[in-house]
Amino acid sequence: GRTKMQVRAFHLPSRNNFPNSSTSSLPLLIYRSAFPRSDADEIEETFRRNGFNPEWRYGMYRQNHYHSTTHEVLGVYKGKATLLFGDQEEIEVEKGDVILIPAGVAHRALEDADSFHMVGAYPQGSAQWDMNYGKESELKEAKARIQSLSIPDRDPVVGLSGPLHEHWQPVSQ
């Protein structure tokens, strides 16, 4: 039978000029066993159906970085890796897992095999993703961009219900 998907939320405070969850108030979400068959086409199809445009298939950069113009969802379809989030939280992911990264949350690969591959997708209608590296000079403008982003209508895996709706609540201004 299908392994039940399990989801963990990580609220990562800002650190070393990485805004992390502090700016958006949105946690990093890790979905375990979201795609038991870990088929790249199926992952892309599901993301697309739920309003996230798949843009690449690749591993993860080893340089710590974050995006301020868009949220990002990653679906692992091959291999496993230890990733570092928010410059503080080491998480091992493997094929079948999904990672929903709020804008502002730093991420990089610590250990990965050549076989580690993911589908990367972004909410439809969002701006092209940018690259920020935790420099102080980036921070003020990056934070303003992050705060202007809306929460996607659908969970990338489940759709109209699901973990995104449970864990990503709009901040009342």
Side-chain angles (χ1 to χ4, degrees):
R2 185 188 164 121
T3 317
K4 189 168 160 21
M5 180 175 81
Q6 293 183 316
V7 177
R8 282 192 66 192
F10 296 85
H11 285 272
L12 302 170
S14 60
R15 184 166 184 186
N16 300 338
N17 292 318
F18 293 110
N20 297 329
S21 300
S22 297
T23 300
S24 67
S25 302
L26 304 177
L28 168 78
L29 297 182
I30 306 286
Y31 304 55
R32 300 279 180 206
S33 307
F35 292 98
R37 296 189 319 140
S38 58
D39 174 69
D41 293 332
E42 181 196 358
I43 294 170
E44 287 188 349
E45 223 167 89
T46 303
F47 286 171
R48 194 176 286 115
R49 187 172 64 239
N50 291 320
F52 289 76
N53 289 332
E55 291 193 16
W56 50 264
R57 294 183 182 185
Y58 195 64
M60 186 181 282
Y61 296 128
R62 285 180 172 263
Q63 185 171 7
N64 226 348
H65 67 283
Y66 68 93
H67 311 298
S68 70
T69 51
T70 181
H71 308 300
E72 177 175 47
V73 65
L74 307 173
V76 184
Y77 64 88
K78 212 173 150 200
K80 65 178 185 179
T82 303
L83 307 177
L84 182 68
F85 293 97
D87 204 26
Q88 59 200 281
E89 187 79 43
E90 282 186 36
I91 300 174
E92 192 169 288
V93 295
E94 60 183 7
K95 65 180 189 185
D97 293 347
V98 164
I99 308 152
L100 183 59
I101 308 177
V105 171
H107 48 287
R108 63 169 291 222
L110 290 178
E111 285 174 47
D112 56 354
D114 293 337
S115 62
F116 177 67
H117 280 88
M118 307 178 291
V119 167
Y122 304 87
Q124 280 163 15
S126 62
Q128 176 63 32
W129 42 273
D130 62 346
M131 296 291 283
N132 301 280
Y133 299 102
K135 297 189 186 81
E136 199 177 346
S137 57
E138 304 164 330
L139 199 53
K140 195 176 166 205
E141 287 184 5
K143 279 181 165 178
R145 286 191 296 268
I146 292 163
Q147 282 165 335
S148 74
L149 295 177
S150 55
I151 294 173
D153 296 333
R154 290 169 184 258
D155 181 275
V157 177
V158 184
L160 290 172
S161 61
L164 178 144
H165 303 287
E166 205 179 310
H167 295 282
W168 283 22
Q169 298 295 334
V171 183
S172 42
Q173 295 301 342

